[in-house]
Amino acid sequence: AFLYGAATSQAVLGDLEAALQNFKMYEKAIKQGNFVFNPTQDMLLSFNIGQTLVRMQRDDEAVAAFQAVFAKGVEFSEKHKPEGEKSERRGTVIAAHYWTAVAAGALGRYQEVVAHLESFEAAVAAGTCDESLLETGWQERYRARLIRGLLRSDPRKHMQTAVSHATVLCQVAPENPMYRRVLADCLFNSGDLTAAAA
């Protein structure tokens, strides 16, 4: 428990190498049976390791850590329906979709970005998102990342969806000129030259 608490504090303070080391030591203690834990703590540990790796720009390793979150979430939900979908474990899985998209984007794996952010978006719409596990400004950032993923994975297929998200961004953050440029580019590439010019 001390290792986990220390790692969490170190991550907040930005000492990522020390945080990752303590998270890994805590994980090792769990695997060796030296610590009593519940499935929520196990999932959150994998999540925290993944989030720390994202901040360290070790994106391949981060994606692998988040895959463990998904696997543990599926296993728990299968064993404990419907409680598995209603517990805090669900919030951890949802946040893992967000952070996996961040890591996948850094790796240029834009189809994965789209898939994970669409899952994240659906969960947000259903009201099952734990905002404490996300970053500041996530409402805008996830749309910006989703637009980038849509346009870089299959622009012809996803252009109208990108236009819709860019329109929302301009509505929620009209003071940000970058979003207006993104919307104009999307409209131009969709063939709506009049709207793009406006």
Side-chain angles (χ1 to χ4, degrees), residues 2 4 15 19 43 50 61 73 95 114 140 160 168 173 179 181 197:
F2 171 78
Y4 185 82
D15 191 352
M43 285 180 61
E61 296 171 74
V114 172
E140 295 177 27
Q160 289 304 319
V168 172
Y179 296 152
R181 288 197 298 271

Side-chain angles (χ1 to χ4, degrees), residues 118-133:
E118 286 181 341
S119 294
F120 173 78
E121 183 179 42
V124 170
T128 53
C129 176
D130 183 350
E131 295 187 27
S132 69
L133 298 177

Side-chain angles (χ1 to χ4, degrees), residues 39-179:
T40 298
Q41 290 174 315
D42 191 23
M43 285 180 61
L44 195 56
L45 173 61
S46 295
F47 176 86
N48 284 328
I49 289 172
Q51 193 178 43
T52 303
L53 289 165
V54 167
R55 294 174 65 191
M56 296 172 74
Q57 298 183 327
R58 291 164 59 175
D59 298 295
D60 275 317
E61 296 171 74
V63 170
F66 290 128
Q67 291 300 326
V69 175
F70 299 136
K72 292 168 184 175
V74 169
E75 180 182 8
F76 184 87
S77 293
E78 289 297 321
K79 288 181 178 179
H80 301 280
K81 288 182 177 179
E83 292 83 358
E85 290 296 305
K86 295 179 180 179
S87 70
E88 67 266 35
R89 297 171 184 84
R90 180 65 177 156
T92 304
V93 171
I94 293 163
H97 279 296
Y98 180 92
W99 289 106
T100 302
V102 174
L107 295 168
R109 289 152 52 171
Y110 295 110
Q111 290 183 340
E112 290 181 46
V113 172
V114 172
H116 284 291
L117 286 182
E118 286 181 341
S119 294
F120 173 78
E121 183 179 42
V124 170
T128 53
C129 176
D130 183 350
E131 295 187 27
S132 69
L133 298 177
L134 305 175
E135 61 184 333
T136 302
W138 65 266
Q139 296 94 331
E140 295 177 27
R141 293 185 180 192
Y142 101 83
R143 287 190 189 276
R145 290 190 174 102
L146 180 54
I147 291 168
R148 189 179 304 115
L150 291 167
L151 296 180
R152 294 188 179 182
S153 60
D154 192 340
R156 290 186 179 182
K157 178 181 178 181
H158 298 305
M159 187 59 66
Q160 289 304 319
T161 304
V163 167
S164 297
H165 282 289
T167 300
V168 172
L169 277 179
C170 289
Q171 291 169 347
V172 299
E175 73 286 353
N176 192 326
M178 181 184 70
Y179 296 152

